Amino acid sequence: MSKKVILVTGSSSGFGRLTSEALARAGHTVYASMRDVAGRNAGNAAQMTELSDRENTDLRPVELDVQSEPSVNAAIEKIIAETGRIDVVVHNAGHMMFGPAEAFTPEQFAQQYDVNVLGTQRVNRAVLPHMRGQREGLLVWISSSSSAGGTPPYLSPYFAAKAAMDSLAVQYSRELSQWGIDTSIIVPGAFTKGTNHFAHSGSPADKARAEEYETGPYAGYGEKIQEAFAAIVPDDADPEPVADLIVDVVDAPFGQRPFRVHYDPTEDGANIGFSVLDRLRAEMLHRVGLGHLLKPVKR
């Protein structure tokens, strides 16, 4: 295993925090990005720095807002200036909204896409020139089992954005393989503890429209859905193995990394759905003579 320089977006909590710490413990140089390092996330940044000092790891909090191109560019420039390279990006930053789809404004949907989809594009445009210059790299995308598995209602903005991000990850994998850049898509299931997705989820801006659902045939469904969600998540469901799986992917030899990795204690069927979908996509590429794009190559 060679030591790698890694950027993990959205590292203040949840999967990002766990992944950053796990990768640093595995011996890598990890830039744990988050917004407002000097302000509301100052405590999280300080905890990471203390952990790094205590465990003698190389974990470095860095300011990065995936919704801001100047912020993204500045973070990448800082990493390159300090290390001379960047080997891995973990696209983790994301946000959730909960409520009936109709009650969210178009601007709220756009905000979900901005964080969960366009944020990855901003980071890629800043990072990929360096990776392509190295002719080697790895993009790890944190997808969602909702993109091919069970999809309970009232999470439409998040599910739609995650599905778009997953599709983008697939397309990027084809367009980067011949540059020597590998792709792995991590597919976690639902977790009601260990992450802040539900605790920090947004709500509909159109309160009057939401109230029409709450006083109509969908009265009480917000609570019913959350209770049903929690009921299918095993009591011992722990998001930490997701971070361990990402470490395994990063440490795997070039060209031998899995395209998808599933970790879903609720078993919502995404592993089956994606296996069919990915096979159909691969077969289409083979059919048109582009099957070589499915595997990264070093040149």
Side-chain angles (χ1 to χ4, degrees):
M1 189 275 293
S2 60
K3 182 176 182 179
K4 295 178 176 63
V5 177
I6 302 173
L7 168 65
V8 182
T9 66
S11 293
S12 63
S13 63
F15 291 136
R17 178 75 169 264
L18 293 169
T19 299
S20 294
E21 294 175 356
L23 287 166
R25 290 183 177 120
H28 301 290
T29 295
V30 180
Y31 284 85
S33 83
M34 60 193 78
R35 293 179 296 172
D36 201 9
V37 167
R40 68 185 182 89
N41 273 321
N44 290 320
Q47 290 171 11
M48 285 190 166
T49 300
E50 291 167 5
L51 177 69
S52 182
D53 292 341
R54 184 170 67 251
E55 298 187 359
N56 194 29
T57 60
D58 196 354
L59 180 59
R60 312 180 188 185
V62 64
E63 174 72 32
L64 191 157
D65 180 356
V66 297
Q67 293 185 271
S68 166
E69 187 171 346
S71 174
V72 170
N73 290 341
I76 301 307
E77 289 170 6
K78 175 182 173 65
I79 294 170
I80 297 298
E82 292 181 357
T83 66
R85 63 185 295 111
I86 184 162
D87 302 302
V88 181
V89 170
V90 180
H91 286 303
N92 168 75
H95 185 242
M96 179 181 284
M97 290 183 176
F98 184 84
E102 185 186 345
F104 290 99
T105 64
E107 290 76 18
Q108 285 187 291
F109 266 82
Q111 191 268 343
Q112 281 282 273
Y113 279 77
D114 197 32
V115 174
N116 294 309
V117 185
L118 301 185
T120 67
Q121 178 69 353
R122 294 186 185 98
V123 173
N124 279 353
R125 282 179 51 80
V127 165
L128 288 176
H130 300 285
M131 286 188 175
R132 289 189 292 104
Q134 297 166 184
R135 291 297 179 112
E136 186 175 357
L138 168 63
L139 298 184
V140 179
W141 304 72
I142 310 302
S143 182
S144 167
S145 64
S146 65
S147 297
T151 51
Y154 278 37
L155 286 160
S156 297
Y158 179 72
F159 285 168
K162 275 298 188 181
M165 191 214 75
D166 192 285
S167 293
L168 184 63
V170 170
Q171 292 303 103
Y172 257 119
S173 72
R174 282 47 163 161
E175 297 176 9
L176 295 175
S177 63
Q178 305 307 291
W179 289 100
I181 298 172
D182 215 344
T183 294
S184 281
I185 304 173
I186 312 300
V187 187
F191 291 89
T192 52
K193 59 183 180 181
T195 71
N196 290 323
H197 275 338
F198 284 95
H200 294 169
S201 62
S203 58
D206 190 338
K207 304 300 183 185
R209 197 73 60 94
E211 184 63 19
E212 291 177 14
Y213 277 76
E214 191 56 35
T215 57
Y218 284 86
Y221 264 72
E223 185 175 345
K224 287 179 182 178
I225 291 163
Q226 293 196 50
E227 289 175 350
F229 222 118
I232 65 171
V233 178
D235 291 338
D236 59 352
D238 182 0
E240 194 162 342
V242 174
D244 296 333
L245 290 170
I246 293 172
V247 173
D248 291 341
V249 165
V250 170
D251 289 347
F254 177 85
Q256 297 181 34
R257 296 179 174 112
F259 182 64
R260 281 194 195 272
V261 178
H262 295 265
Y263 183 72
D264 181 13
T266 67
E267 298 182 351
D268 72 359
N271 57 328
I272 299 170
F274 271 126
S275 67
V276 174
L277 185 58
D278 288 336
R279 179 179 175 180
L280 289 173
R281 290 167 170 170
E283 288 180 351
M284 185 62 179
L285 284 180
H286 285 297
R287 180 180 173 188
V288 298
L290 295 174
H292 62 283
L293 299 180
L294 296 168
K295 288 291 185 180
V297 295
K298 287 186 179 180
R299 297 185 184 275

